[in-house]
mmCIF file of all heavy atoms in Angstrom:
data_model
loop_
_atom_site.group_PDB
_atom_site.id
_atom_site.type_symbol
_atom_site.label_atom_id
_atom_site.label_comp_id
_atom_site.label_asym_id
_atom_site.label_seq_id
_atom_site.Cartn_x
_atom_site.Cartn_y
_atom_site.Cartn_z
ATOM 1 N N VAL C 22 18.663 11.462 -30.794
ATOM 2 C CA VAL C 22 19.879 10.647 -30.960
ATOM 3 C C VAL C 22 19.498 9.300 -31.559
ATOM 4 O O VAL C 22 20.140 8.791 -32.479
ATOM 5 C CB VAL C 22 20.597 10.442 -29.607
ATOM 6 C CG1 VAL C 22 21.823 9.549 -29.776
ATOM 7 C CG2 VAL C 22 20.986 11.770 -28.997
ATOM 8 N N PHE C 26 20.800 7.476 -34.878
ATOM 9 C CA PHE C 26 21.382 6.135 -34.716
ATOM 10 C C PHE C 26 20.679 5.145 -35.646
ATOM 11 O O PHE C 26 21.317 4.436 -36.431
ATOM 12 C CB PHE C 26 21.206 5.753 -33.244
ATOM 13 C CG PHE C 26 21.702 4.384 -32.869
ATOM 14 C CD1 PHE C 26 23.051 4.062 -32.938
ATOM 15 C CD2 PHE C 26 20.811 3.423 -32.402
ATOM 16 C CE1 PHE C 26 23.507 2.803 -32.555
ATOM 17 C CE2 PHE C 26 21.256 2.170 -32.019
ATOM 18 C CZ PHE C 26 22.605 1.856 -32.103
ATOM 19 N N ILE C 40 19.507 1.124 -25.859
ATOM 20 C CA ILE C 40 18.894 0.708 -24.591
ATOM 21 C C ILE C 40 18.781 1.906 -23.652
ATOM 22 O O ILE C 40 19.794 2.488 -23.269
ATOM 23 C CB ILE C 40 19.722 -0.401 -23.922
ATOM 24 C CG1 ILE C 40 20.015 -1.527 -24.926
ATOM 25 C CG2 ILE C 40 18.983 -0.961 -22.721
ATOM 26 C CD1 ILE C 40 20.982 -2.557 -24.404
ATOM 27 N N ASP C 49 23.416 2.992 -12.526
ATOM 28 C CA ASP C 49 23.504 1.568 -12.196
ATOM 29 C C ASP C 49 22.749 0.733 -13.221
ATOM 30 O O ASP C 49 23.200 -0.334 -13.632
ATOM 31 C CB ASP C 49 22.983 1.318 -10.788
ATOM 32 C CG ASP C 49 21.659 2.008 -10.518
ATOM 33 O OD1 ASP C 49 21.452 3.112 -11.068
ATOM 34 O OD2 ASP C 49 20.829 1.454 -9.777
ATOM 35 N N ALA C 58 24.105 -6.247 -22.746
ATOM 36 C CA ALA C 58 24.335 -6.084 -24.172
ATOM 37 C C ALA C 58 25.637 -6.746 -24.594
ATOM 38 O O ALA C 58 25.721 -7.392 -25.636
ATOM 39 C CB ALA C 58 24.354 -4.600 -24.520
ATOM 40 N N ALA C 60 26.994 -9.264 -23.330
ATOM 41 C CA ALA C 60 26.877 -10.719 -23.331
ATOM 42 C C ALA C 60 26.485 -11.213 -24.717
ATOM 43 O O ALA C 60 26.752 -12.355 -25.088
ATOM 44 C CB ALA C 60 25.854 -11.163 -22.298
ATOM 45 N N ALA C 75 32.488 4.249 -12.852
ATOM 46 C CA ALA C 75 31.498 3.170 -12.826
ATOM 47 C C ALA C 75 31.613 2.227 -14.017
ATOM 48 O O ALA C 75 31.321 1.039 -13.904
ATOM 49 C CB ALA C 75 30.102 3.758 -12.764
ATOM 50 N N PHE C 76 32.041 2.755 -15.160
ATOM 51 C CA PHE C 76 32.041 1.908 -16.358
ATOM 52 C C PHE C 76 33.430 1.405 -16.734
ATOM 53 O O PHE C 76 33.579 0.685 -17.716
ATOM 54 C CB PHE C 76 31.457 2.666 -17.544
ATOM 55 C CG PHE C 76 30.099 3.249 -17.250
ATOM 56 C CD1 PHE C 76 29.863 4.599 -17.366
ATOM 57 C CD2 PHE C 76 29.055 2.421 -16.856
ATOM 58 C CE1 PHE C 76 28.616 5.122 -17.079
ATOM 59 C CE2 PHE C 76 27.810 2.942 -16.570
ATOM 60 C CZ PHE C 76 27.588 4.299 -16.684
ATOM 61 N N ASP C 77 34.445 1.814 -16.001
ATOM 62 C CA ASP C 77 35.816 1.507 -16.403
ATOM 63 C C ASP C 77 36.042 0.018 -16.656
ATOM 64 O O ASP C 77 36.545 -0.367 -17.713
ATOM 65 C CB ASP C 77 36.805 2.013 -15.348
ATOM 66 C CG ASP C 77 36.929 3.526 -15.394
ATOM 67 O OD1 ASP C 77 36.218 4.129 -16.236
ATOM 68 O OD2 ASP C 77 37.704 4.095 -14.619
ATOM 69 N N ASN C 86 37.736 -7.721 -25.358
ATOM 70 C CA ASN C 86 37.052 -8.726 -26.183
ATOM 71 C C ASN C 86 36.951 -8.306 -27.637
ATOM 72 O O ASN C 86 36.276 -8.959 -28.437
ATOM 73 C CB ASN C 86 35.654 -8.995 -25.654
ATOM 74 C CG ASN C 86 35.705 -9.810 -24.367
ATOM 75 O OD1 ASN C 86 36.695 -10.490 -24.115
ATOM 76 N ND2 ASN C 86 34.674 -9.709 -23.562
ATOM 77 N N ASP C 96 31.670 12.189 -21.992
ATOM 78 C CA ASP C 96 32.900 11.411 -21.868
ATOM 79 C C ASP C 96 33.380 11.465 -20.427
ATOM 80 O O ASP C 96 32.942 12.295 -19.628
ATOM 81 C CB ASP C 96 33.960 12.007 -22.802
ATOM 82 C CG ASP C 96 35.123 11.046 -23.012
ATOM 83 O OD1 ASP C 96 34.971 9.850 -22.666
ATOM 84 O OD2 ASP C 96 36.161 11.495 -23.528
ATOM 85 N N SER C 108 37.129 6.502 -28.772
ATOM 86 C CA SER C 108 37.000 7.905 -29.148
ATOM 87 C C SER C 108 35.772 8.495 -28.503
ATOM 88 O O SER C 108 34.999 7.797 -27.850
ATOM 89 C CB SER C 108 36.881 8.038 -30.663
ATOM 90 O OG SER C 108 35.617 7.535 -31.070
ATOM 91 N N PRO C 134 24.124 45.188 -10.671
ATOM 92 C CA PRO C 134 24.314 43.856 -10.113
ATOM 93 C C PRO C 134 23.731 42.757 -11.002
ATOM 94 O O PRO C 134 22.816 43.006 -11.780
ATOM 95 C CB PRO C 134 23.565 43.933 -8.780
ATOM 96 C CG PRO C 134 22.549 45.007 -8.965
ATOM 97 C CD PRO C 134 23.134 45.987 -9.944
ATOM 98 N N GLY C 153 25.137 22.287 -14.533
ATOM 99 C CA GLY C 153 25.034 23.411 -13.595
ATOM 100 C C GLY C 153 26.410 23.892 -13.176
ATOM 101 O O GLY C 153 26.661 25.096 -13.115
ATOM 102 N N LEU C 177 18.759 26.378 -7.319
ATOM 103 C CA LEU C 177 17.435 25.888 -6.913
ATOM 104 C C LEU C 177 17.259 24.440 -7.356
ATOM 105 O O LEU C 177 17.765 24.045 -8.405
ATOM 106 C CB LEU C 177 16.328 26.719 -7.565
ATOM 107 C CG LEU C 177 16.059 28.132 -7.066
ATOM 108 C CD1 LEU C 177 14.857 28.691 -7.802
ATOM 109 C CD2 LEU C 177 15.813 28.142 -5.568
ATOM 110 N N PRO C 198 12.040 39.755 -8.445
ATOM 111 C CA PRO C 198 11.905 40.305 -9.805
ATOM 112 C C PRO C 198 13.217 40.878 -10.329
ATOM 113 O O PRO C 198 13.336 41.160 -11.518
ATOM 114 C CB PRO C 198 10.840 41.390 -9.652
ATOM 115 C CG PRO C 198 10.648 41.603 -8.203
ATOM 116 C CD PRO C 198 11.253 40.470 -7.455
ATOM 117 N N TRP C 209 13.407 22.743 -19.412
ATOM 118 C CA TRP C 209 12.138 23.088 -18.768
ATOM 119 C C TRP C 209 11.914 24.589 -18.609
ATOM 120 O O TRP C 209 10.839 25.006 -18.214
ATOM 121 C CB TRP C 209 12.057 22.361 -17.429
ATOM 122 C CG TRP C 209 11.936 20.886 -17.655
ATOM 123 C CD1 TRP C 209 10.806 20.233 -18.026
ATOM 124 C CD2 TRP C 209 12.964 19.909 -17.590
ATOM 125 N NE1 TRP C 209 11.075 18.897 -18.201
ATOM 126 C CE2 TRP C 209 12.389 18.663 -17.928
ATOM 127 C CE3 TRP C 209 14.328 19.952 -17.287
ATOM 128 C CZ2 TRP C 209 13.119 17.480 -17.973
ATOM 129 C CZ3 TRP C 209 15.043 18.774 -17.320
ATOM 130 C CH2 TRP C 209 14.447 17.552 -17.660
ATOM 131 N N MET C 242 11.929 30.849 -28.073
ATOM 132 C CA MET C 242 13.060 31.654 -28.562
ATOM 133 C C MET C 242 12.545 32.689 -29.544
ATOM 134 O O MET C 242 12.953 33.845 -29.529
ATOM 135 C CB MET C 242 14.095 30.765 -29.237
ATOM 136 C CG MET C 242 14.797 29.857 -28.249
ATOM 137 S SD MET C 242 16.202 29.001 -28.967
ATOM 138 C CE MET C 242 17.499 30.196 -28.629
ATOM 139 N N TYR C 246 11.676 35.000 -25.234
ATOM 140 C CA TYR C 246 11.871 34.710 -23.814
ATOM 141 C C TYR C 246 13.169 33.960 -23.560
ATOM 142 O O TYR C 246 13.771 34.089 -22.517
ATOM 143 C CB TYR C 246 10.688 33.897 -23.262
ATOM 144 C CG TYR C 246 9.485 34.762 -23.002
ATOM 145 C CD1 TYR C 246 8.437 34.809 -23.907
ATOM 146 C CD2 TYR C 246 9.416 35.546 -21.856
ATOM 147 C CE1 TYR C 246 7.337 35.625 -23.688
ATOM 148 C CE2 TYR C 246 8.316 36.356 -21.621
ATOM 149 C CZ TYR C 246 7.277 36.385 -22.540
ATOM 150 O OH TYR C 246 6.211 37.192 -22.310
ATOM 151 N N VAL C 249 19.475 32.016 -25.217
ATOM 152 C CA VAL C 249 20.539 31.113 -25.640
ATOM 153 C C VAL C 249 20.148 29.673 -25.338
ATOM 154 O O VAL C 249 19.607 29.381 -24.271
ATOM 155 C CB VAL C 249 21.852 31.411 -24.878
ATOM 156 C CG1 VAL C 249 22.979 30.547 -25.432
ATOM 157 C CG2 VAL C 249 22.200 32.878 -24.979
ATOM 158 N N THR C 281 30.651 17.611 -31.664
ATOM 159 C CA THR C 281 29.408 17.836 -32.398
ATOM 160 C C THR C 281 28.973 19.285 -32.305
ATOM 161 O O THR C 281 27.829 19.621 -32.552
ATOM 162 C CB THR C 281 28.282 16.923 -31.873
ATOM 163 O OG1 THR C 281 28.170 17.106 -30.472
ATOM 164 C CG2 THR C 281 28.558 15.490 -32.200
ATOM 165 N N LEU C 297 14.143 21.229 -39.320
ATOM 166 C CA LEU C 297 14.974 20.128 -38.812
ATOM 167 C C LEU C 297 14.352 19.532 -37.548
ATOM 168 O O LEU C 297 14.327 18.319 -37.364
ATOM 169 C CB LEU C 297 16.378 20.647 -38.501
ATOM 170 C CG LEU C 297 17.198 21.036 -39.736
ATOM 171 C CD1 LEU C 297 18.492 21.722 -39.318
ATOM 172 C CD2 LEU C 297 17.505 19.796 -40.555
#
Side-chain angles (χ1 to χ4, degrees):
Chain C
V22 178
F26 178 65
I40 310 172
D49 47 326
F76 307 122
D77 287 1
N86 287 338
D96 195 14
S108 70
L177 287 184
W209 292 282
M242 292 190 89
Y246 282 100
V249 185
T281 54
L297 291 172

